[in-house]
Amino acid sequence: MNATIVIYGSSTGTCEAIAEKIASKLGCEAVNVQDLTADIITNHQNLILGTSTWGAGELQDDWYDGLKTLQSSDLKGKTIAIFGCGDCATYSDTFVGGMGELYNGIKDSGAHFIGSVATDGYTFDDSEAVINGKFIGLPLDDINEDDKTDIRIETWLAQVSPNL
């Protein structure tokens, strides 16, 4: 396995807890996006990026500077997987939109994206994170569907781990 790191932005702690769980299962470190540097990006081949979604499908606040750091770094040839936290009941029309914003900000970077997830089994009306009929990463609603979080993480990690 190449050097992997989980980078997350979290306002309430939910995304942080999920990032820590993913990092623990992969045997790697989880870093708050507030602490993201160009050196961290340079020193890791695999980046797992996690964001919560706020307002009308927006990135978690700390990710705006983090996204600039990613955009100013050489991501060509790196492997990136994305996960996002959202609320499919209250914000069903912008569910995990932050994931879509993150992806759109770096999709032309030359990185290889892995970990898309079928929309089957998810209840939502619309999402910027759905491209070609699939989520661009792992969507999680740990508020309304917390009973599905662990199995969704396990299934996703089984899919992405061989590519890290």
Side-chain angles (χ1 to χ4, degrees):
M1 181 186 291
N2 290 317
T4 300
I5 193 162
V6 178
I7 304 162
Y8 67 88
S10 186
S11 295
T12 65
T14 301
C15 195
E16 177 180 8
I18 290 170
E20 294 285 350
K21 184 179 289 189
I22 290 170
S24 175
K25 291 181 180 293
L26 291 174
C28 68
E29 182 183 4
V31 173
N32 190 312
V33 69
Q34 292 175 321
D35 301 322
L36 183 62
T37 64
D39 284 344
I40 290 173
I41 296 167
T42 299
N43 293 329
H44 293 87
Q45 177 59 32
N46 306 309
L47 309 174
I48 299 176
L49 312 176
T51 184
S52 50
T53 299
W54 291 93
E58 299 162 9
L59 275 171
Q60 190 271 344
D61 286 344
D62 299 327
W63 263 111
Y64 289 102
D65 287 337
L67 185 56
K68 289 176 188 171
T69 302
L70 285 172
Q71 290 168 331
S72 65
S73 298
D74 183 8
L75 300 179
K76 189 172 185 172
K78 293 197 181 283
T79 299
I80 296 177
I82 301 173
F83 71 94
C85 301
D87 180 338
C88 68
T90 307
Y91 298 100
S92 67
D93 58 338
T94 59
F95 181 54
V96 294
M99 247 184 7
E101 275 201 41
L102 195 51
Y103 172 78
N104 287 332
I106 56 174
K107 68 181 179 183
D108 298 323
S109 65
H112 174 66
F113 290 87
I114 61 171
S116 63
V117 173
T119 59
D120 302 341
Y122 287 90
T123 304
F124 68 102
D125 292 321
D126 194 20
S127 178
E128 186 181 342
V130 174
I131 298 174
N132 297 326
K134 287 186 163 188
F135 287 104
I136 50 93
L138 174 65
L140 298 166
D141 181 344
D142 206 47
I143 296 166
N144 301 297
E145 297 180 334
D146 60 321
D147 58 319
K148 298 177 182 177
T149 297
D150 287 340
I151 190 68
R152 285 176 171 166
I153 290 171
E154 291 292 336
T155 302
W156 186 67
L157 287 176
Q159 174 193 348
V160 300
S161 292
N163 298 298
L164 298 176

